[in-house]
Amino acid sequence: MPSPNTAVSGTSPPTHTPVRPTPPAPTLTKSDRPARPRRRPALRVPRGVRRAAGPVGLLAVWFLGSTTGVLPESVLASPIDVVQRAVDLTGTGELPQAIAASGRRAAIGFLIGAAVALALSLTAGLFRLGEDVIDASMGMFRAIPWVGLIPLFIVWFGIDETPKIALVALGVTYPLYFNVYGGIRSADAQLIEAGRMAGLGRIGLIRYVILPSALPGALVGLRYALSTAWLALVFAEQVNADAGIGYLMSNAQQYFQTDVIVLCLAVYAVLGLLCDFAVRLLSRRLLAWRASFDGEGA
């Protein structure tokens, strides 16, 4: 037998290629690295300035149109005339009294409409019988234009303050009802089941699970309801009003005073904007526990 060191005939002994060690990669010092161009910090405009850019731009276009004659005074008064008229009416006390009268109507109508909407939405959202009785009727009544009910309200309630407050209350009821009802019915069923397993009863589930889940929708409905309240008040105060912003607007319409009309519209817009701002602050405080998408970019 051939020895282990003897090569077998017809075969060649395996050859081993020596492995050369890989030289280490050269290390680069800071002086050897290519210098990157420095980026200038992006100029960020504060969000408050960006939010004000739209209204300020509209005012600028309005002012230029008035000064150049594109918008004659008979069509639309200039911003300077509107501000001057606001100063005059404030000095005589007419504008503060009108704002107080309109604010009182809006507040009473909103409270009545919000109470009715919450009672109906909680009943329809928490109980199936309430849903069967209430929700279909609310959907039917929502299809009726509430502005078209003004003649009927005059027949029912006369021409004093009652039809105006009733119209505001009706305008508030629908958006608040449907948003609260939708928020209740969108509560996570798994959270409700977890609450039951944790030993919560019906009252505990409503307080700790269902109502917090419905809170975002309720706040959205509150924003819509407040804006609708001022919109309803615009129509309501056209009906035989003897005080309020709508009363000033009606008198200005008879004498073609576009500066007073624009001033009244601006007051409505500012009051609605203040209410919306208050609801935004309330939402940030009440929904601090809820992580939500806040937009991207600057």
Side-chain angles (χ1 to χ4, degrees), residues 179-206:
N179 280 276
V180 175
Y181 169 77
I184 292 174
R185 287 307 175 95
S186 63
D188 194 349
Q190 295 181 355
L191 291 178
I192 296 177
E193 187 63 26
R196 287 173 178 169
M197 295 179 62
L200 293 178
R202 179 181 292 272
I203 303 299
L205 287 174
I206 294 174

Side-chain angles (χ1 to χ4, degrees), residues 49-97:
V49 177
R50 288 183 292 175
R51 286 179 180 271
V56 171
L58 290 177
L59 286 175
V61 172
W62 179 16
F63 178 77
L64 291 176
S66 299
T67 54
T68 56
V70 177
L71 292 175
E73 187 177 354
S74 58
V75 176
L76 187 63
S78 66
I80 298 177
D81 295 337
V82 173
V83 173
Q84 184 62 42
R85 183 54 65 96
V87 173
D88 296 340
L89 292 178
T90 302
T92 58
E94 295 182 55
L95 186 59
Q97 293 175 4

